[in-house]
Amino acid sequence: MTTNALVPSSLCREAEDKREATRKLGYVARAATIFRVDRLTVFPDPDGAGKWDGGFVETVLRYAATPPYLRKAVWDRRDELECVGVLPPLRVATRTGSGSDDSGSLRQGIVTEVGPDGRVRVNCGLQHPISLPVPDDRNLREGERVTVRVSSRRPVRAKLTDEPPAGFQVDRADLDTALARSNVGITIAASRHGQPLTSGRIGQLIGTIDGAGGDLTVVFGAPERGLPAILGVDAESAGSATVAELAAADDTEDGTGDAVTGSRPDGTRFDLWLNTVPNQGSEVVRTEEAMFATLAPLTLTE
């Protein structure tokens, strides 16, 4: 099961300075961490661009997603990272164990040296870089990021693995490319113009997501510039498909969930436009606030 979140390059457009923009991105990273987002994609919104463009947004989010013990090795001094001291700690939970130092946990590492004997030295946040054998089917280079499974710290016992580490990865792609990936699953546009999410509908929606394999992709807009404006679609028709129609379309499938696209209100991109703050008390729900409000109910289990 994969959870993807897509945010626009314009999500910091209302920030008055770099410090405020960085702090805002820290809350985006916190939401992605708390709700176990696997991939956080920044998609372009050139018409809504302010002082902080997609390059700034992607760089700060990549920095935030980098484990603290690797940041010095991975990142040099960059203008985009001038205010990263205001980022909140993510405290990413490992996939096994309750803390980053537990036996059997997965850790991100960076290759610091490639030896001639089929071994590499990897900095994965232990006291010293560790020497590990490279599997025959892999070719590693200096500076490459890897995942290490640490089964013992004293003495150190670890191995390279293909398993994804805890936390989320960050990339930048246009919306159509991101939505064409194989693991997008049910695609939801978070918008005040979407169908309101109610207590009676949440169970039906969760069942539909599970029935489509559990993969989920949620797309968010920017402050004062929602998805209809970003995508150039009619706001009134965006919320025409209901949760019930989505579930009915999914029931006709063989489990792949592909034909739910027939009910997409904008004709191409999303299975459902959804309003997860139907009685909002503020005229504007910021992107980071929408992420908390939307991912919380959508990641519930039956």
Side-chain angles (χ1 to χ4, degrees), residues 15-153:
E16 295 183 357
D17 54 39
K18 189 179 297 183
R19 184 182 183 89
E20 182 183 348
T22 302
R23 191 191 307 276
K24 181 183 183 73
L25 292 172
Y27 292 132
V28 170
R30 282 287 296 172
T33 301
I34 289 170
F35 299 107
R36 294 187 180 273
V37 168
D38 297 286
R39 185 197 296 264
L40 184 59
T41 297
V42 180
F43 67 89
D45 175 25
D47 293 338
K51 292 184 290 185
W52 322 111
D53 62 8
F56 171 83
V57 171
E58 181 189 13
T59 299
V60 174
L61 288 176
R62 281 186 182 275
Y63 179 91
T66 303
Y69 55 80
L70 286 182
R71 287 175 178 171
K72 185 175 181 179
V74 173
W75 295 96
D76 53 11
R77 291 184 176 274
R78 303 181 61 165
D79 290 342
E80 299 96 323
L81 304 178
E82 181 182 357
C83 298
V84 292
V86 303
L87 291 173
L90 301 187
R91 299 292 300 273
V92 177
T94 56
R95 295 181 185 273
T96 56
S98 59
S100 61
D101 295 333
D102 286 350
S103 176
S105 64
L106 294 177
R107 298 176 69 84
Q108 290 187 45
I110 184 169
V111 176
T112 61
E113 182 181 346
V114 178
D117 54 354
R119 301 180 70 89
V120 293
R121 293 184 68 81
V122 177
N123 174 5
C124 58
L126 301 180
Q127 187 173 4
H128 303 287
I130 56 177
S131 177
L132 298 173
V134 180
D136 293 338
D137 59 345
R138 295 185 66 178
N139 291 312
L140 299 178
R141 62 185 185 278
E142 187 174 328
E144 185 171 347
R145 295 201 208 187
V146 294
T147 304
V148 177
R149 178 173 288 281
V150 179
S151 56
S152 172
R153 289 175 59 86

Side-chain angles (χ1 to χ4, degrees), residues 214-225:
D215 292 338
L216 172 67
T217 297
V218 188
V219 185
F220 299 91
E224 299 182 344
R225 185 170 170 79

Side-chain angles (χ1 to χ4, degrees), residues 8 34 39 50 94 171 188 224 236 238 252 264 273 291 295:
I34 289 170
R39 185 197 296 264
T94 56
D171 67 0
I188 293 178
E224 299 182 344
E236 294 302 321
T252 66
R264 291 178 178 173
W273 288 70
M291 289 183 69
L295 293 174

